[in-house]
């Protein structure tokens, strides 16, 4: 009948599966302007290369810290930040899959807190997200190019 036809629709099936598994949860930070569909949602476990080793997101998250992950050329976001917080682990990824944003901040619970596909003017938004979700401040370097 009607319910069978409804549940057989891929979009309805996906929505129901997300509700049942709690993957429909989306955390939004007060004052957040970004409306990217993945922002605030659970990040899928994906493969990446860090310091010459192939690994996956779940392994990097095993210590319970937030992960600013940067796979942009030259790690433009990580190079423009300096922090001393112990609850954050900076990750420069040499490679991530094409369907994953080039830079993101992942909370310890696996939800994305900030996403970018380049555009270094988003560093202030990254700083705001770190301050909000991790209750720490991150100093933005005046001249990101001078940071090694």
């Amino acid at each position: 009948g009607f319910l069978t036809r409804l549940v057989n629709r891929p979009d309805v099936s996906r929505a129901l599966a997300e509700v049942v598994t709690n993957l429909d949860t989306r955390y939004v930070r007060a004052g957040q302007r970004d409306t990217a569909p993945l922002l605030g949602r659970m990040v899928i476990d994906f493969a990446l290369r860090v310091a010459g080793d192939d690994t996956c997101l779940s392994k990097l998250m095993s210590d319970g810290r937030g992960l600013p992950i940067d796979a942009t050329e030259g790690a433009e976001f990580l190079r423009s930040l300096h922090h001393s917080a112990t609850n954050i682990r900076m990750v420069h990824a040499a490679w991530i899959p094409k369907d994953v944003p080039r830079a993101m901040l992942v909370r310890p619970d696996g939800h994305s807190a900030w996403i970018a596909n380049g555009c270094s003017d988003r560093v202030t938004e990254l700083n705001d997200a770190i301050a909000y979700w991790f209750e720490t401040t991150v100093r933005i370097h005046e001249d990101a190019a001078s940071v090694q």
Side-chain angles (χ1 to χ4, degrees):
F2 171 74
L3 286 179
T4 302
R5 286 195 324 261
L6 187 64
V7 171
N8 284 334
R9 291 185 50 168
D11 55 333
V12 173
S13 293
R14 179 181 176 159
L16 288 172
E18 287 177 351
V19 168
V20 170
T21 59
N22 205 28
L23 291 177
D24 65 329
T25 302
R26 183 171 191 224
Y27 294 99
V28 179
R29 167 173 62 83
Q32 180 175 301
R33 294 184 310 267
D34 197 340
T35 59
L38 295 176
L39 185 61
R41 297 202 180 271
M42 180 72 75
V43 178
I44 60 163
D45 192 19
F46 59 88
L48 64 162
R49 186 167 298 125
V50 177
D53 294 326
D54 291 338
T55 187
C56 62
L57 180 63
S58 59
K59 286 182 183 175
L60 294 175
M61 294 180 61
S62 65
D63 62 4
R65 294 189 284 172
L67 296 175
I69 300 172
D70 191 345
T72 60
E73 185 151 345
E76 62 183 289
F77 292 106
L78 294 185
R79 287 172 29 120
S80 60
L81 298 177
H82 174 74
H83 79 95
S84 58
T86 58
N87 60 346
I88 297 172
R89 175 182 175 194
M90 303 279 212
V91 177
H92 177 217
W95 177 88
I96 59 176
K98 290 187 187 307
D99 59 340
V100 174
R102 300 294 91 196
M104 69 176 73
L105 173 61
V106 182
R107 297 176 4 174
D109 66 358
H111 286 81
S112 63
W114 172 85
I115 291 176
N117 278 312
C119 190
S120 61
D121 64 342
R122 308 268 328 266
V123 171
T124 301
E125 293 172 27
L126 173 57
N127 182 44
D128 292 346
I130 290 172
Y132 181 85
W133 291 112
F134 299 97
E135 298 180 348
T136 187
T137 57
V138 176
R139 188 175 71 241
I140 300 174
H141 289 291
E142 295 286 325
D143 181 11
S146 68
V147 178
Q148 299 301 319

